[in-house]
């Protein structure tokens, strides 16, 4: 079954063709990074305007790269939220029109569920449940237990900033560009992670929630009160010390969750920050040998993309095939609904 998927939740205009939830026939992403680098972050109206320019050409490109005609496509999948509503509306309206005109069923997908399925892409082998997933993105940060397809339990989430947001803000504090994650992880390679003792916020012993705003403030205070030269070495040491604080907290939370749920068969790391090599390395250290550790097979599946939306749509369709038809009325939602309530 071939699905044409669309994703426009933030600043990437993306379309992909996915076969049977795993095979990526095409995955086209028009990034707006250069546009938003000028303002140091995403301006929603600017992002939305760019989506309107890019959406149709990107969709055509996804079809032609996959060597597909419209007859080959059985369904359209689209991110319905959460995200920037002005961005989401471009994707959902495109999907509504295409679904109606081409008579294809329409499968709305939760953006974070899309990330949860990003580890399925490009894999043939069996993936075993239960899966513990750490989602680390610019806009969200959760620890989720998946007992079976679409049986999600959120164990914890961020109480303030998401990890990616903290990377972006720290990058801004020390004058690195947007997005901050890749810039920080690159600089951290030459830094001393022990130079600054930034706080590790673990919250209560049993808590799987995250909090990164205190860490961000600690970095800000360190930089503001520093009397010496803010040279490249200082910045590298800030990056390494900050990154280590984030990564240690995440590894500890995963370790605690594995202790509480010893039946977990696999641990997955997804979302934009899953591109971070230090985070992957640290998680590998706390995951027992008999538990499989996966992250998305390609870097382009870590950050926002449409391929993951196509994968998530396929597995939802397989569970409830009678539920979907051609639609014209998918409207975006900015709300982060409780996943399990929505899908059970
Ligand atoms: O999943 P994503 O594309 O967007 C959201 O759904 O939010 O994640 C984007 C985030 C940005 O905050 C970016 O700084 C971060 O992922 N990121 C990284 C790395 N690459 C991207 N953070 C840390 N290390 C990286 N290598
Ligand atoms: Zn995302």
């Amino acid at each position: 079954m071939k699905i044409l998927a669309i994703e426009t939740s933030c600043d990437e205009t993306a379309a992909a063709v996915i076969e049977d939830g795993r095979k990526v026939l095409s995955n086209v992403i028009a990034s707006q990074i250069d546009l938003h680098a000028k303002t140091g972050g995403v301006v929603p109206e600017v992002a939305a305007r760019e989506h309107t320019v890019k959406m149709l050409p990107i969709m055509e490109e996804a079809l032609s790269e996959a060597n597909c005609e419209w007859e080959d496509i059985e369904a359209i999948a689209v991110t319905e939220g959460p995200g920037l509503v002005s961005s989401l509306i471009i994707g959902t309206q495109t999907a509504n029109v295409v679904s109606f005109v081409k008579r294809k069923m329409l499968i709305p997908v939760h953006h974070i569920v899309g990330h949860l399925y990003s580890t399925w892409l490009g894999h043939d082998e069996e993936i075993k449940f239960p899966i513990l997933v750490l989602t680390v993105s610019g806009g969200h940060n959760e620890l989720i237990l998946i007992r079976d397809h679409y049986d999600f339990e959120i164990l914890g989430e961020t109480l303030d900033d998401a990890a990616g947001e903290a990377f972006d803000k720290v990058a801004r504090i020390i004058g690195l560009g947007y997005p901050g994650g890749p810039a920080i992880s690159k600089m951290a390679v030459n830094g001393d992670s022990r130079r600054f003792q930034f706080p590790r916020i673990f919250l209560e012993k049993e808590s799987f929630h995250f909090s990164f705003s205190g860490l961000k403030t600690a970095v800000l205070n360190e930089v503001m009160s520093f009397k010496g030269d803010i040279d490249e070495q200082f910045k590298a040491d800030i990056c390494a010390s900050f990154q280590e604080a984030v990564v240690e907290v995440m590894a500890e939370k995963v370790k605690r969750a594995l202790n509480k749920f010893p039946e977990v068969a696999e641990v997955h790391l997804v979302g934009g920050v899953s591109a971070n090599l230090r985070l992957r390395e640290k998680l590998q250290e706390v995951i027992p040998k008999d538990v499989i550790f996966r992250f998305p097979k390609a870097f382009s599946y870590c950050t926002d993309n449409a391929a993951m939306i196509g994968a998530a749509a396929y597995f939802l369709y397989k569970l409830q095939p009678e539920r979907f038809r051609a639609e014209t009325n998918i409207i975006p939602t900015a709300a982060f609904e409780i996943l399990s309530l929505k899908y059970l």
Side-chain angles (χ1 to χ4, degrees), residues 313-327:
Y314 172 78
F315 290 105
L316 182 57
Y317 169 78
K318 293 294 277 182
L319 282 181
Q320 302 174 331
E322 68 294 338
R323 178 171 153 190
F324 302 103
R325 53 193 165 77
E327 293 262 13

Side-chain angles (χ1 to χ4, degrees), residues 7 9 111 115 137-140 271-272 302-304 308:
E7 149 69 40
S9 66
H111 179 78
H115 278 295
S137 269
H140 48 89
C302 294
T303 43
D304 289 348
M308 66 185 194

